[in-house]
Amino acid sequence: MVDGLDRIRCDCSVIHGDTVNQVKAMMPEEEKLYDLAELFKVFGDSTRIKILWALSESEMCVCDLAFLLNMTQSAISHQLRLLKQSRLVKNRKEGKVVFYALDDIHVKQIFGQGMIHVQEK
Amino acid sequence: MVDGLDRIRCDCSVIHGDTVNQVKAMMPEEEKLYDLAELFKVFGDSTRIKILWALSESEMCVCDLAFLLNMTQSAISHQLRLLKQSRLVKNRKEGKVVFYALDDIHVKQIFGQGMIHVQEK
DNA sequence: ATAACACATGAATATTTATTCAACTGTTCA
DNA sequence: TGAACAGTTGAATAAATATTCATGTGTTAT
């Protein structure tokens, strides 16, 4: 039931024990919360935020993004790979050019909620 | 107008130039996007996600959180400082004990949008 | 006063990660 | 065929950061 790695409960914790145990019982799976953190981590970089913002306005190729953000194609490409792995962007190839676009309707909504928080002072 | 650090536009970019320039003109301030990334960065750690989730269920003291997440009080305290700086949690002191609670109605909404994305396979 | 407790904090360590650089793939065009 | 271009990728470097450890602050109770 209790393995050796668990923390000893402090006196304070014992006092509020019932509430804490109820919350513990309701806690989502470890993995689900981990995945959620991983998702937000992808949003937590200004380069990727700029890319996502740009793609929320228009589909774009890699060199367009590089020009827009004033960064190297390589740097942009690395970040696009991450964004694609997270299923936040998709791409289509047209000759030499690869166009990227948002791959999720939720992106704009997550974005929007964040903006509201940031804009409140 | 163009400083020496700007990227040279590739041929591709010149071709789609109008669209890209329009998007560039609409781009939010550098600082605003940076702040947005900083906000998401706070969500982008599984320890902080767990703390935020727990506090979305109930107000809690530091040692409750330490017990719940099976981590040291110190580690929790460090993360709570970050969360407070981002105005995502607030605290009130009652004797020796410091109770933390969510400080923003948007937290749950940002959380929810993220969950929806994660749960779609 | 002093001991115990809840929490905060600074420095150190270890890990993660963003960007750069160089090399490589695949496509177009002359 | 080969040169130019768009993009990708792996390794290296530099910077950011999560946790630990030791110590410090403020409160309560004896």
Side-chain angles (χ1 to χ4, degrees):
Chain A
M1 188 187 295
V2 174
D3 68 52
L5 293 172
D6 282 333
R7 302 282 151 198
I8 309 254
R9 304 187 73 167
C10 55
D11 296 353
C12 164
S13 219
V14 170
I15 292 165
H16 318 120
D18 287 344
T19 309
V20 176
N21 278 326
Q22 277 176 22
V23 173
K24 192 160 198 167
M26 296 166 62
M27 191 152 66
E29 307 162 49
E30 179 82 14
E31 191 194 338
K32 191 140 282 180
L33 291 175
Y34 182 82
D35 289 347
L36 191 54
E38 288 301 302
L39 172 66
F40 285 123
K41 198 174 288 181
V42 177
F43 283 86
D45 174 84
S46 59
T47 297
R48 289 191 293 268
I49 278 284
K50 288 177 195 166
I51 291 174
L52 289 173
W53 178 84
L55 296 182
S56 77
E57 293 297 323
S58 169
E59 176 184 68
M60 251 176 236
C61 64
V62 180
C63 64
D64 281 342
L65 288 166
F67 169 73
L68 198 63
L69 307 194
N70 193 33
M71 294 178 66
T72 63
Q73 279 195 12
S74 179
I76 299 290
S77 183
H78 278 296
Q79 298 299 350
L80 284 169
R81 197 161 69 88
L82 275 180
L83 289 168
K84 201 182 173 195
Q85 282 172 354
S86 308
R87 309 186 328 278
L88 297 175
V89 307
K90 61 189 172 188
N91 57 13
R92 84 186 156 81
K93 200 167 180 182
E94 198 172 284
K96 288 184 289 191
V97 183
V98 179
F99 287 96
Y100 281 84
L102 292 191
D103 186 26
D104 195 295
I105 49 169
H106 305 309
V107 175
K108 285 193 184 184
Q109 291 172 350
I110 293 173
F111 222 90
Q113 288 297 333
M115 267 297 188
I116 292 171
H117 180 91
V118 170
Q119 278 169 348
E120 285 181 357
K121 190 174 144 300
Chain B
M1 186 186 296
V2 174
D3 67 52
L5 293 172
D6 281 333
R7 303 283 151 196
I8 310 253
R9 304 187 74 168
C10 56
D11 296 352
C12 164
S13 220
V14 170
I15 292 166
H16 317 122
D18 288 344
T19 309
V20 176
N21 279 325
Q22 278 176 21
V23 173
K24 191 160 197 167
M26 296 166 63
M27 191 152 66
E29 307 162 50
E30 179 82 14
E31 191 193 339
K32 190 138 285 179
L33 290 176
Y34 181 82
D35 289 347
L36 191 55
E38 288 300 303
L39 172 65
F40 285 122
K41 197 174 289 181
V42 177
F43 284 86
D45 174 84
S46 58
T47 297
R48 289 190 293 268
I49 279 283
K50 287 176 196 168
I51 291 174
L52 289 173
W53 178 83
L55 296 181
S56 77
E57 293 297 323
S58 169
E59 178 184 66
M60 248 176 240
C61 65
V62 180
C63 66
D64 281 341
L65 288 165
F67 169 72
L68 198 62
L69 307 193
N70 194 33
M71 294 178 64
T72 63
Q73 278 194 14
S74 178
I76 299 291
S77 183
H78 278 295
Q79 298 299 349
L80 284 170
R81 196 162 69 88
L82 276 179
L83 289 169
K84 201 182 174 193
Q85 282 171 354
S86 309
R87 310 187 326 280
L88 297 176
V89 307
K90 61 188 171 187
N91 57 12
R92 84 188 156 80
K93 200 166 180 181
E94 199 172 284
K96 289 183 290 188
V97 183
V98 179
F99 287 96
Y100 281 84
L102 291 191
D103 187 26
D104 193 297
I105 50 168
H106 305 308
V107 175
K108 284 192 185 186
Q109 291 171 352
I110 293 172
F111 222 90
Q113 288 297 333
M115 267 297 188
I116 292 171
H117 180 92
V118 169
Q119 278 170 347
E120 286 182 356
K121 192 171 146 297

